[in-house]
Amino acid sequence: MSYRIAPGAVLFKLAGAILDAILPLVTVYLAAQSTTELAAAYSGVAGAGQRAIIYVLLTIAIGAFTTAWSSIDNYVQSILRFKVESRISDIMYERFLALDFWRYEDKDTADTYEKAQRFGNFYAYVFDQLASIFSQVIAMIGAIAALLFVVPWVAVIVLIALLPGIYLQFKLSRAQIDQWSKNVTARRAQSYIEWQLLQPKSIIELRINGLVRYLLSLRARYRDQDERQRLQFNRDYLGKQIMASLLESVAELISLIWITLEIIRHAQPIGQFVYVQQIVSRAIGSMRSLVQTISNIDEDLAQLFDYQKFMAYPLANTSEQILEAIPEMIEFRNVAFHYHGTKKPVLRDISLTIGRGQHIAIVGENGAGKSTLIKLLMGLYTPTKGEIFVDTVPLSTYSIESWHRQLGILQQSFLEYDFATIRDNVYFGDVSTPFDTERYTKALGDAEAASFVDELKHGDATYASKWIVGDDIEDDELATSLSGGQWQRLALARSFYRNAPIIVLDEPTSAIDALAESRIFKRLFAEKDKTIIAISHRLSTVMRADVIHVLEHGQIVESGTHAELIKKRGAYYRLFESQLSE
C-alpha cells in the first residue's frame, strides 16, 4: 500500500536502509586499513603513509556522502510520512463511516476498530521502523559475514550470543501484547473519563455530585492497573535480559582477547584489532537496535491483523440503483426487528403505510420501539423479518445515499458543529448545492432562530462556540455560547434548510418552550407537500397529525386521528390523559 501511495519515496527509503547497513561496514574496513598503514608508515614501510591518506580521504568521502544522504532522506521521509498517513487516515474514516449501522453498537467491532485505528495512527511510523529493522538485519548479517572471512569461529560465537537476546525480546513483546489486549476495556474507560473531565458541559454535574475526585481516583486506578502489569512483565524478564547482555559482552571479550593474542604472537596487522573490535561491536549494536526497534513496534505490528480484520468488514448497502423521484408511498409490511447479538424482538409485525404529503405521528412510552422504527425507515437497519417498500420496490434495492437525499432528520440528540459559524451550522443541512440565501433565510425564520442571530454583532458569521476561537482572533464577539434552546432552533433550521420531501422529527424540540414549539409545528404541518413523520410526547404536536400510530411493546396497538383515538379511550388516551386535563 505504501508503494502504491508513494513508489519513488518507498524505493528511496529501501535504498537508504541498505546504505545505512553497508556503509558503516565499509567505514570499519577503511578504519582498519588506515590503522594498519599508519603503523606501517611509523615503522618506515615505503608508500604506507600515502595509502593511509587515501583510506582517510575515502572515509571522509563516505562520511560526507552519508551526511548529504541523511538530509535528503529526512526530506523524502517527510513526504512519504505525509502521503501515507493522509491516505491511511482517509481509508480508515471512509471505511468506518460506511459500515453497517449495527456495527457502531457492537462491542467486538468497537474493539477491533480501536486496535485498527491504533495501527492506522502509527502506520507511517511502523513503516519507518520496518525500514530500520531491514537495515539492522542486513547490518547484523553483514557483520557476521565479515567476521566469517577473517575468524569463522568468532563469528559463530557472536551469532550464538545474539540469539537469546532476540528470543527474550520476542517473548516479552508477545506478553505485553497479550496484556494490552486484556486491558482494552479498562483503557477505554480511562480514556472516556479523561475526555469527560475536560468537557465544559460536564463540569456542573461533576462538581455538584462530588464526582471530580472520585473520577480522578478511578482514572488513576485504571491507569495503574494497566501500567503495573506492564512493569511486572519487564521485571519478570529483567534477570534473563541481563544474562543475555552478559553473554554478548563475554562473546565480545573473547573476540578481542583472541585478536590481541594473534597480533602479539603472529605479528598480525594491528588493523585486525580495529576490524574485529568494530565488526563485533557493530553486530552486537545492530542486534540491540533490532531488539529495541522490535520492542517498540511489535505491539503495533500485532494490530496489523486487527486492521486487516476491520478492513474486511462488509460495507453497508452498496446498491447502485438510484431513487430518482420523490416516493408516493412508503410501506412497512409485517416488519419485525431485533438488534444484532440478541433475539429479543424490539418491533413485531409492524404494518403501516405513509402516503406522500401525509403527516404521521408515532407515539408510545419510552422503550416502545419508536426510534428503532425510525432507524429502519432511514435504512440504517435492515428488518429481521418483513420488508419496507418504497413505491412497491424494496427499500434495500436502492442506494442508501439516494434514499437519504429524500430525508431530513432532526433528533433530540442532534449535532452541534462547534467549529463552524451559525450560517454554516444551517448550511450543513444540504451541502450538495451552493449556499442558497433564500432557503437559508426561510429556514431561520421557520425555526424561530432569526431573532437571536440578528442580535449578534457579527450575525450569522459568528462562531457557534467560544472554544473554537484562538488567541489569533482579538474580537471576543466573533464567537458566542448558545443556550440549549438556541442550539435546538439552529438544528431545526438546518433540517428546514435541507428542504427534503420527507421530514423525520424524533423529539426535536425538547429544549424549546411549548408556545414556540406550537408555532413551529403549526407552520411545518401547514406544508402539505411535505411528508412528515414525528415522534413527540407533546399533545400539541401529535394532535395535528393526519394519522397517529400508538406503539406498545414493539407493536402498533392503535391507529387513527386524534379525535378517533380519544373516543376509544384506549392506549392513546391513557398516554396523554394528563395533558388532556390541562
PDB file of all heavy atoms in Angstrom, residues 339-369:
ATOM      1  N   TYR A 339     -32.089  -6.450  17.595  1.00  0.00           N
ATOM      2  CA  TYR A 339     -30.734  -5.936  17.413  1.00  0.00           C
ATOM      3  C   TYR A 339     -29.726  -7.080  17.314  1.00  0.00           C
ATOM      4  O   TYR A 339     -29.957  -8.188  17.823  1.00  0.00           O
ATOM      5  CB  TYR A 339     -30.362  -4.984  18.547  1.00  0.00           C
ATOM      6  CG  TYR A 339     -31.007  -3.628  18.409  1.00  0.00           C
ATOM      7  CD1 TYR A 339     -32.140  -3.300  19.163  1.00  0.00           C
ATOM      8  CD2 TYR A 339     -30.516  -2.698  17.523  1.00  0.00           C
ATOM      9  CE1 TYR A 339     -32.748  -2.060  19.034  1.00  0.00           C
ATOM     10  CE2 TYR A 339     -31.118  -1.447  17.391  1.00  0.00           C
ATOM     11  CZ  TYR A 339     -32.232  -1.137  18.141  1.00  0.00           C
ATOM     12  OH  TYR A 339     -32.831   0.084  17.999  1.00  0.00           O
ATOM     13  N   HIS A 340     -28.629  -6.789  16.672  1.00  0.00           N
ATOM     14  CA  HIS A 340     -27.557  -7.770  16.492  1.00  0.00           C
ATOM     15  C   HIS A 340     -27.070  -8.264  17.852  1.00  0.00           C
ATOM     16  O   HIS A 340     -26.836  -7.488  18.765  1.00  0.00           O
ATOM     17  CB  HIS A 340     -26.389  -7.126  15.736  1.00  0.00           C
ATOM     18  CG  HIS A 340     -25.261  -8.080  15.470  1.00  0.00           C
ATOM     19  ND1 HIS A 340     -25.296  -9.010  14.454  1.00  0.00           N
ATOM     20  CD2 HIS A 340     -24.062  -8.235  16.081  1.00  0.00           C
ATOM     21  CE1 HIS A 340     -24.170  -9.696  14.454  1.00  0.00           C
ATOM     22  NE2 HIS A 340     -23.404  -9.249  15.428  1.00  0.00           N
ATOM     23  N   GLY A 341     -26.945  -9.592  17.975  1.00  0.00           N
ATOM     24  CA  GLY A 341     -26.433 -10.172  19.206  1.00  0.00           C
ATOM     25  C   GLY A 341     -27.487 -10.487  20.238  1.00  0.00           C
ATOM     26  O   GLY A 341     -27.171 -10.969  21.325  1.00  0.00           O
ATOM     27  N   THR A 342     -28.741 -10.186  19.924  1.00  0.00           N
ATOM     28  CA  THR A 342     -29.834 -10.508  20.840  1.00  0.00           C
ATOM     29  C   THR A 342     -31.026 -11.015  20.032  1.00  0.00           C
ATOM     30  O   THR A 342     -31.194 -10.648  18.869  1.00  0.00           O
ATOM     31  CB  THR A 342     -30.258  -9.282  21.673  1.00  0.00           C
ATOM     32  OG1 THR A 342     -31.381  -9.636  22.483  1.00  0.00           O
ATOM     33  CG2 THR A 342     -30.638  -8.123  20.776  1.00  0.00           C
ATOM     34  N   LYS A 343     -31.828 -11.856  20.656  1.00  0.00           N
ATOM     35  CA  LYS A 343     -33.006 -12.388  19.970  1.00  0.00           C
ATOM     36  C   LYS A 343     -34.302 -11.753  20.473  1.00  0.00           C
ATOM     37  O   LYS A 343     -35.391 -12.087  20.002  1.00  0.00           O
ATOM     38  CB  LYS A 343     -33.072 -13.908  20.149  1.00  0.00           C
ATOM     39  CG  LYS A 343     -31.924 -14.636  19.443  1.00  0.00           C
ATOM     40  CD  LYS A 343     -32.083 -16.148  19.550  1.00  0.00           C
ATOM     41  CE  LYS A 343     -30.964 -16.858  18.794  1.00  0.00           C
ATOM     42  NZ  LYS A 343     -31.094 -18.338  18.896  1.00  0.00           N
ATOM     43  N   LYS A 344     -34.163 -10.831  21.422  1.00  0.00           N
ATOM     44  CA  LYS A 344     -35.351 -10.173  21.958  1.00  0.00           C
ATOM     45  C   LYS A 344     -35.892  -9.198  20.927  1.00  0.00           C
ATOM     46  O   LYS A 344     -35.206  -8.271  20.509  1.00  0.00           O
ATOM     47  CB  LYS A 344     -34.997  -9.425  23.242  1.00  0.00           C
ATOM     48  CG  LYS A 344     -36.196  -8.730  23.877  1.00  0.00           C
ATOM     49  CD  LYS A 344     -35.793  -7.985  25.138  1.00  0.00           C
ATOM     50  CE  LYS A 344     -37.015  -7.271  25.744  1.00  0.00           C
ATOM     51  NZ  LYS A 344     -36.646  -6.532  26.976  1.00  0.00           N
ATOM     52  N   PRO A 345     -37.152  -9.388  20.485  1.00  0.00           N
ATOM     53  CA  PRO A 345     -37.702  -8.508  19.450  1.00  0.00           C
ATOM     54  C   PRO A 345     -37.973  -7.106  19.983  1.00  0.00           C
ATOM     55  O   PRO A 345     -38.489  -6.939  21.090  1.00  0.00           O
ATOM     56  CB  PRO A 345     -39.011  -9.201  19.045  1.00  0.00           C
ATOM     57  CG  PRO A 345     -39.388 -10.012  20.242  1.00  0.00           C
ATOM     58  CD  PRO A 345     -38.099 -10.432  20.895  1.00  0.00           C
ATOM     59  N   VAL A 346     -37.598  -6.111  19.187  1.00  0.00           N
ATOM     60  CA  VAL A 346     -37.883  -4.719  19.525  1.00  0.00           C
ATOM     61  C   VAL A 346     -39.144  -4.271  18.792  1.00  0.00           C
ATOM     62  O   VAL A 346     -39.936  -3.501  19.331  1.00  0.00           O
ATOM     63  CB  VAL A 346     -36.694  -3.810  19.145  1.00  0.00           C
ATOM     64  CG1 VAL A 346     -36.977  -2.356  19.500  1.00  0.00           C
ATOM     65  CG2 VAL A 346     -35.426  -4.281  19.843  1.00  0.00           C
ATOM     66  N   LEU A 347     -39.332  -4.753  17.574  1.00  0.00           N
ATOM     67  CA  LEU A 347     -40.534  -4.485  16.789  1.00  0.00           C
ATOM     68  C   LEU A 347     -41.127  -5.814  16.339  1.00  0.00           C
ATOM     69  O   LEU A 347     -40.384  -6.740  15.983  1.00  0.00           O
ATOM     70  CB  LEU A 347     -40.197  -3.616  15.571  1.00  0.00           C
ATOM     71  CG  LEU A 347     -39.671  -2.203  15.844  1.00  0.00           C
ATOM     72  CD1 LEU A 347     -39.262  -1.525  14.532  1.00  0.00           C
ATOM     73  CD2 LEU A 347     -40.713  -1.357  16.571  1.00  0.00           C
ATOM     74  N   ARG A 348     -42.470  -5.884  16.301  1.00  0.00           N
ATOM     75  CA  ARG A 348     -43.126  -7.121  15.881  1.00  0.00           C
ATOM     76  C   ARG A 348     -44.295  -6.807  14.961  1.00  0.00           C
ATOM     77  O   ARG A 348     -45.160  -5.997  15.301  1.00  0.00           O
ATOM     78  CB  ARG A 348     -43.681  -7.883  17.096  1.00  0.00           C
ATOM     79  CG  ARG A 348     -42.732  -8.020  18.253  1.00  0.00           C
ATOM     80  CD  ARG A 348     -43.392  -8.791  19.374  1.00  0.00           C
ATOM     81  NE  ARG A 348     -42.896  -8.388  20.671  1.00  0.00           N
ATOM     82  CZ  ARG A 348     -43.196  -8.998  21.800  1.00  0.00           C
ATOM     83  NH1 ARG A 348     -44.024 -10.017  21.798  1.00  0.00           N
ATOM     84  NH2 ARG A 348     -42.706  -8.571  22.942  1.00  0.00           N
ATOM     85  N   ASP A 349     -44.246  -7.422  13.833  1.00  0.00           N
ATOM     86  CA  ASP A 349     -45.380  -7.386  12.895  1.00  0.00           C
ATOM     87  C   ASP A 349     -45.888  -5.962  12.654  1.00  0.00           C
ATOM     88  O   ASP A 349     -47.082  -5.680  12.767  1.00  0.00           O
ATOM     89  CB  ASP A 349     -46.510  -8.271  13.423  1.00  0.00           C
ATOM     90  CG  ASP A 349     -47.520  -8.597  12.313  1.00  0.00           C
ATOM     91  OD1 ASP A 349     -47.090  -8.635  11.131  1.00  0.00           O
ATOM     92  OD2 ASP A 349     -48.709  -8.776  12.617  1.00  0.00           O
ATOM     93  N   ILE A 350     -44.984  -5.075  12.304  1.00  0.00           N
ATOM     94  CA  ILE A 350     -45.350  -3.683  12.016  1.00  0.00           C
ATOM     95  C   ILE A 350     -45.800  -3.571  10.559  1.00  0.00           C
ATOM     96  O   ILE A 350     -45.043  -3.873   9.637  1.00  0.00           O
ATOM     97  CB  ILE A 350     -44.165  -2.732  12.254  1.00  0.00           C
ATOM     98  CG1 ILE A 350     -43.723  -2.767  13.718  1.00  0.00           C
ATOM     99  CG2 ILE A 350     -44.509  -1.304  11.833  1.00  0.00           C
ATOM    100  CD1 ILE A 350     -44.706  -2.200  14.688  1.00  0.00           C
ATOM    101  N   SER A 351     -47.010  -3.131  10.378  1.00  0.00           N
ATOM    102  CA  SER A 351     -47.531  -2.874   9.037  1.00  0.00           C
ATOM    103  C   SER A 351     -48.199  -1.497   9.039  1.00  0.00           C
ATOM    104  O   SER A 351     -49.111  -1.245   9.828  1.00  0.00           O
ATOM    105  CB  SER A 351     -48.563  -3.942   8.623  1.00  0.00           C
ATOM    106  OG  SER A 351     -47.952  -5.203   8.476  1.00  0.00           O
ATOM    107  N   LEU A 352     -47.710  -0.621   8.183  1.00  0.00           N
ATOM    108  CA  LEU A 352     -48.308   0.716   8.054  1.00  0.00           C
ATOM    109  C   LEU A 352     -47.890   1.295   6.717  1.00  0.00           C
ATOM    110  O   LEU A 352     -46.893   0.882   6.117  1.00  0.00           O
ATOM    111  CB  LEU A 352     -47.882   1.630   9.212  1.00  0.00           C
ATOM    112  CG  LEU A 352     -46.390   1.958   9.381  1.00  0.00           C
ATOM    113  CD1 LEU A 352     -45.997   3.183   8.586  1.00  0.00           C
ATOM    114  CD2 LEU A 352     -46.072   2.183  10.856  1.00  0.00           C
ATOM    115  N   THR A 353     -48.657   2.254   6.252  1.00  0.00           N
ATOM    116  CA  THR A 353     -48.343   2.947   5.004  1.00  0.00           C
ATOM    117  C   THR A 353     -48.302   4.450   5.253  1.00  0.00           C
ATOM    118  O   THR A 353     -49.049   4.978   6.087  1.00  0.00           O
ATOM    119  CB  THR A 353     -49.382   2.642   3.906  1.00  0.00           C
ATOM    120  OG1 THR A 353     -50.668   3.046   4.376  1.00  0.00           O
ATOM    121  CG2 THR A 353     -49.387   1.166   3.551  1.00  0.00           C
ATOM    122  N   ILE A 354     -47.413   5.098   4.544  1.00  0.00           N
ATOM    123  CA  ILE A 354     -47.266   6.553   4.646  1.00  0.00           C
ATOM    124  C   ILE A 354     -47.336   7.121   3.234  1.00  0.00           C
ATOM    125  O   ILE A 354     -46.457   6.826   2.397  1.00  0.00           O
ATOM    126  CB  ILE A 354     -45.924   6.938   5.308  1.00  0.00           C
ATOM    127  CG1 ILE A 354     -45.772   6.249   6.673  1.00  0.00           C
ATOM    128  CG2 ILE A 354     -45.795   8.450   5.434  1.00  0.00           C
ATOM    129  CD1 ILE A 354     -44.388   6.360   7.279  1.00  0.00           C
ATOM    130  N   GLY A 355     -48.357   7.880   2.956  1.00  0.00           N
ATOM    131  CA  GLY A 355     -48.525   8.455   1.626  1.00  0.00           C
ATOM    132  C   GLY A 355     -47.789   9.775   1.490  1.00  0.00           C
ATOM    133  O   GLY A 355     -47.504  10.450   2.483  1.00  0.00           O
ATOM    134  N   ARG A 356     -47.497  10.137   0.279  1.00  0.00           N
ATOM    135  CA  ARG A 356     -46.799  11.404   0.030  1.00  0.00           C
ATOM    136  C   ARG A 356     -47.641  12.581   0.547  1.00  0.00           C
ATOM    137  O   ARG A 356     -48.849  12.654   0.282  1.00  0.00           O
ATOM    138  CB  ARG A 356     -46.523  11.559  -1.456  1.00  0.00           C
ATOM    139  CG  ARG A 356     -45.824  12.866  -1.817  1.00  0.00           C
ATOM    140  CD  ARG A 356     -45.449  12.918  -3.276  1.00  0.00           C
ATOM    141  NE  ARG A 356     -44.836  14.205  -3.611  1.00  0.00           N
ATOM    142  CZ  ARG A 356     -44.341  14.515  -4.806  1.00  0.00           C
ATOM    143  NH1 ARG A 356     -44.380  13.621  -5.788  1.00  0.00           N
ATOM    144  NH2 ARG A 356     -43.812  15.701  -5.002  1.00  0.00           N
ATOM    145  N   GLY A 357     -47.024  13.473   1.283  1.00  0.00           N
ATOM    146  CA  GLY A 357     -47.705  14.632   1.840  1.00  0.00           C
ATOM    147  C   GLY A 357     -48.475  14.342   3.108  1.00  0.00           C
ATOM    148  O   GLY A 357     -49.082  15.245   3.693  1.00  0.00           O
ATOM    149  N   GLN A 358     -48.436  13.093   3.568  1.00  0.00           N
ATOM    150  CA  GLN A 358     -49.175  12.740   4.780  1.00  0.00           C
ATOM    151  C   GLN A 358     -48.359  13.118   6.020  1.00  0.00           C
ATOM    152  O   GLN A 358     -47.137  13.069   6.019  1.00  0.00           O
ATOM    153  CB  GLN A 358     -49.470  11.237   4.792  1.00  0.00           C
ATOM    154  CG  GLN A 358     -50.561  10.826   5.760  1.00  0.00           C
ATOM    155  CD  GLN A 358     -50.973   9.369   5.552  1.00  0.00           C
ATOM    156  OE1 GLN A 358     -50.195   8.554   5.057  1.00  0.00           O
ATOM    157  NE2 GLN A 358     -52.198   9.036   5.923  1.00  0.00           N
ATOM    158  N   HIS A 359     -49.067  13.495   7.094  1.00  0.00           N
ATOM    159  CA  HIS A 359     -48.421  13.861   8.345  1.00  0.00           C
ATOM    160  C   HIS A 359     -48.723  12.768   9.370  1.00  0.00           C
ATOM    161  O   HIS A 359     -49.877  12.581   9.765  1.00  0.00           O
ATOM    162  CB  HIS A 359     -48.923  15.217   8.832  1.00  0.00           C
ATOM    163  CG  HIS A 359     -48.634  16.318   7.857  1.00  0.00           C
ATOM    164  ND1 HIS A 359     -49.292  17.533   7.873  1.00  0.00           N
ATOM    165  CD2 HIS A 359     -47.745  16.397   6.836  1.00  0.00           C
ATOM    166  CE1 HIS A 359     -48.813  18.308   6.897  1.00  0.00           C
ATOM    167  NE2 HIS A 359     -47.892  17.629   6.260  1.00  0.00           N
ATOM    168  N   ILE A 360     -47.664  12.068   9.776  1.00  0.00           N
ATOM    169  CA  ILE A 360     -47.804  10.901  10.641  1.00  0.00           C
ATOM    170  C   ILE A 360     -47.177  11.195  11.995  1.00  0.00           C
ATOM    171  O   ILE A 360     -46.122  11.833  12.086  1.00  0.00           O
ATOM    172  CB  ILE A 360     -47.091   9.678  10.010  1.00  0.00           C
ATOM    173  CG1 ILE A 360     -47.681   9.372   8.637  1.00  0.00           C
ATOM    174  CG2 ILE A 360     -47.165   8.469  10.925  1.00  0.00           C
ATOM    175  CD1 ILE A 360     -49.111   8.908   8.668  1.00  0.00           C
ATOM    176  N   ALA A 361     -47.801  10.733  13.054  1.00  0.00           N
ATOM    177  CA  ALA A 361     -47.215  10.809  14.389  1.00  0.00           C
ATOM    178  C   ALA A 361     -47.089   9.396  14.940  1.00  0.00           C
ATOM    179  O   ALA A 361     -47.987   8.567  14.762  1.00  0.00           O
ATOM    180  CB  ALA A 361     -48.060  11.676  15.310  1.00  0.00           C
ATOM    181  N   ILE A 362     -45.960   9.118  15.575  1.00  0.00           N
ATOM    182  CA  ILE A 362     -45.741   7.820  16.211  1.00  0.00           C
ATOM    183  C   ILE A 362     -45.535   8.087  17.694  1.00  0.00           C
ATOM    184  O   ILE A 362     -44.631   8.835  18.086  1.00  0.00           O
ATOM    185  CB  ILE A 362     -44.511   7.108  15.611  1.00  0.00           C
ATOM    186  CG1 ILE A 362     -44.726   6.884  14.103  1.00  0.00           C
ATOM    187  CG2 ILE A 362     -44.262   5.783  16.313  1.00  0.00           C
ATOM    188  CD1 ILE A 362     -43.509   6.389  13.371  1.00  0.00           C
ATOM    189  N   VAL A 363     -46.375   7.501  18.526  1.00  0.00           N
ATOM    190  CA  VAL A 363     -46.316   7.779  19.961  1.00  0.00           C
ATOM    191  C   VAL A 363     -46.230   6.467  20.731  1.00  0.00           C
ATOM    192  O   VAL A 363     -46.542   5.388  20.219  1.00  0.00           O
ATOM    193  CB  VAL A 363     -47.544   8.598  20.422  1.00  0.00           C
ATOM    194  CG1 VAL A 363     -47.605   9.920  19.677  1.00  0.00           C
ATOM    195  CG2 VAL A 363     -48.837   7.808  20.216  1.00  0.00           C
ATOM    196  N   GLY A 364     -45.824   6.596  21.967  1.00  0.00           N
ATOM    197  CA  GLY A 364     -45.698   5.426  22.839  1.00  0.00           C
ATOM    198  C   GLY A 364     -44.766   5.751  23.985  1.00  0.00           C
ATOM    199  O   GLY A 364     -44.053   6.757  23.977  1.00  0.00           O
ATOM    200  N   GLU A 365     -44.765   4.903  24.986  1.00  0.00           N
ATOM    201  CA  GLU A 365     -43.878   5.106  26.123  1.00  0.00           C
ATOM    202  C   GLU A 365     -42.430   4.851  25.715  1.00  0.00           C
ATOM    203  O   GLU A 365     -42.149   4.269  24.664  1.00  0.00           O
ATOM    204  CB  GLU A 365     -44.289   4.172  27.274  1.00  0.00           C
ATOM    205  CG  GLU A 365     -45.681   4.468  27.840  1.00  0.00           C
ATOM    206  CD  GLU A 365     -46.035   3.541  28.993  1.00  0.00           C
ATOM    207  OE1 GLU A 365     -45.274   2.575  29.216  1.00  0.00           O
ATOM    208  OE2 GLU A 365     -47.051   3.787  29.657  1.00  0.00           O
ATOM    209  N   ASN A 366     -41.498   5.294  26.558  1.00  0.00           N
ATOM    210  CA  ASN A 366     -40.090   5.041  26.291  1.00  0.00           C
ATOM    211  C   ASN A 366     -39.835   3.536  26.215  1.00  0.00           C
ATOM    212  O   ASN A 366     -40.321   2.766  27.058  1.00  0.00           O
ATOM    213  CB  ASN A 366     -39.213   5.640  27.400  1.00  0.00           C
ATOM    214  CG  ASN A 366     -39.250   7.157  27.397  1.00  0.00           C
ATOM    215  OD1 ASN A 366     -39.491   7.772  26.368  1.00  0.00           O
ATOM    216  ND2 ASN A 366     -39.029   7.763  28.560  1.00  0.00           N
ATOM    217  N   GLY A 367     -39.085   3.122  25.194  1.00  0.00           N
ATOM    218  CA  GLY A 367     -38.802   1.710  25.018  1.00  0.00           C
ATOM    219  C   GLY A 367     -39.825   0.969  24.186  1.00  0.00           C
ATOM    220  O   GLY A 367     -39.725  -0.261  24.009  1.00  0.00           O
ATOM    221  N   ALA A 368     -40.829   1.684  23.661  1.00  0.00           N
ATOM    222  CA  ALA A 368     -41.876   1.026  22.872  1.00  0.00           C
ATOM    223  C   ALA A 368     -41.383   0.633  21.488  1.00  0.00           C
ATOM    224  O   ALA A 368     -42.003  -0.200  20.820  1.00  0.00           O
ATOM    225  CB  ALA A 368     -43.089   1.947  22.756  1.00  0.00           C
ATOM    226  N   GLY A 369     -40.264   1.239  21.018  1.00  0.00           N
ATOM    227  CA  GLY A 369     -39.725   0.893  19.698  1.00  0.00           C
ATOM    228  C   GLY A 369     -39.843   2.013  18.680  1.00  0.00           C
ATOM    229  O   GLY A 369     -39.589   1.801  17.488  1.00  0.00           O
TER     230      GLY A 369
END
